Amino acid sequence: MFLSSYRRSRYYYVAGFTLIELVIVIAIIAIALGLFSVNSSSAAFWREEGFIRKFTETLTFLHHQAVADQSFYRIEFDLDNDNYKIGVMKSEENVDQSLKDQALTAGNLTLELASFLTPSLGQNQTMIPPPNYPSLAEPVALPINSHFEDVKTATKTYSRQQGGKAAILFSPRGFSDFAVIHLKLRDNPVTVLVN
C-alpha cells in the first residue's frame, strides 16, 4: 500500500506544467499576437476607415450644430501638419450704440428673429473654441502615412505643395462653403465633398 501511493505521487509531480508556467506562456503568446496585429495592414485599413467615418460625421455635425447654436462654425485644415481643428467665429467689431438701444426695447422674439434672418459674420473675426464642445478645438491628426492633398473651395484651391491653412465655414442658416477635400491614406486617394 505504501508503494502504490508513492507511485501516484511520483507521477503527479512529474507530469504537466504549473499554473504559473501556463500563464506566462499565454501572456507571451498574447503579446506577440498583439504586436503582430498592430503592425498588420488590416489594422491600418480599419484605422483609416474609422478616421474617414469620424471626419465625415464631424462635417455633418458642424452643419447641424451651426444651425442649433446660431453661430458660424469653422473647420480649419493645417496642410503643413496634416491635422484639422474646429472653432466658432466671434466678431471683434463694436456694435453700433443705436442698435444696442433698439435691442433694449425690442422683445426677445424680435431679437431672435432678427438674428436668425440676418446673421452677420463681420470683417474682423477670430476663431474661438466652441462653447458647448471645447474639445473640438484640439487638433485632430490624420492617420500615420496619410496627408491632405488639397482643399478646393469655391474661391481658392489650397494644395499640399503651397502649404498653409484652408477653412470651411458653416452658417447658422444651414449653409456651408462648397469644398472638395482630397486625402491620401497610405496609397488610397479619398475625396470628401462638403456641400
Side-chain angles (χ1 to χ4, degrees):
M1 186 161 180
F2 177 75
L3 184 61
S4 64
S5 69
Y6 173 73
R7 284 186 185 182
R8 265 192 304 204
S9 65
R10 186 181 74 181
Y11 289 119
Y12 178 74
Y13 288 114
V14 172
F17 298 102
T18 65
L19 182 60
I20 293 174
E21 291 170 331
L22 287 175
V23 169
I24 291 172
V25 169
I26 291 172
I28 291 171
I29 291 172
I31 290 171
L33 288 175
L35 292 174
F36 176 76
S37 68
V38 167
N39 294 329
S40 71
S41 63
S42 65
F45 171 79
W46 288 112
R47 275 194 300 271
E48 291 171 356
E49 288 292 314
F51 171 79
I52 290 296
R53 175 175 283 179
K54 179 182 174 187
F55 181 65
T56 56
E57 287 175 353
T58 299
L59 294 173
T60 304
F61 169 78
L62 291 176
H63 172 76
H64 294 294
Q65 197 61 35
V67 174
D69 288 349
Q70 285 297 295
S71 299
F72 284 92
Y73 275 75
R74 176 179 162 142
I75 183 167
E76 190 174 82
F77 303 97
D78 187 349
L79 299 175
D80 296 324
N81 298 318
D82 292 320
N83 62 33
Y84 68 89
K85 66 180 178 179
I86 297 163
V88 173
M89 302 307 290
K90 181 181 175 195
S91 178
E92 293 179 351
E93 296 177 351
N94 294 329
V95 178
D96 185 17
Q97 187 60 37
S98 64
L99 293 176
K100 286 183 180 178
D101 294 337
Q102 288 176 359
L104 292 175
T105 60
N108 287 338
L109 185 58
T110 304
L111 291 174
E112 288 180 21
L113 185 59
S115 67
F116 179 73
L117 292 176
T118 57
S120 174
L121 185 58
Q123 297 297 321
N124 299 323
Q125 297 288 317
T126 57
M127 192 166 89
I128 62 169
N132 296 333
Y133 304 97
S135 62
L136 290 176
E138 297 173 11
V140 176
L142 270 64
I144 298 171
N145 298 328
S146 302
H147 61 270
F148 291 110
E149 286 289 321
D150 58 38
V151 177
K152 296 179 181 182
T153 63
T155 57
K156 190 172 179 183
T157 298
Y158 303 88
S159 68
R160 180 175 175 78
Q161 289 77 23
Q162 295 170 340
K165 294 184 179 180
I168 301 171
L169 197 64
F170 296 85
S171 167
R173 290 186 183 172
F175 301 107
S176 65
D177 290 342
F178 178 80
V180 178
I181 304 162
H182 291 111
L183 298 157
K184 188 82 164 197
L185 303 177
R186 284 187 301 162
D187 296 325
N188 303 320
V190 175
T191 301
V192 178
L193 176 67
V194 180
N195 186 5

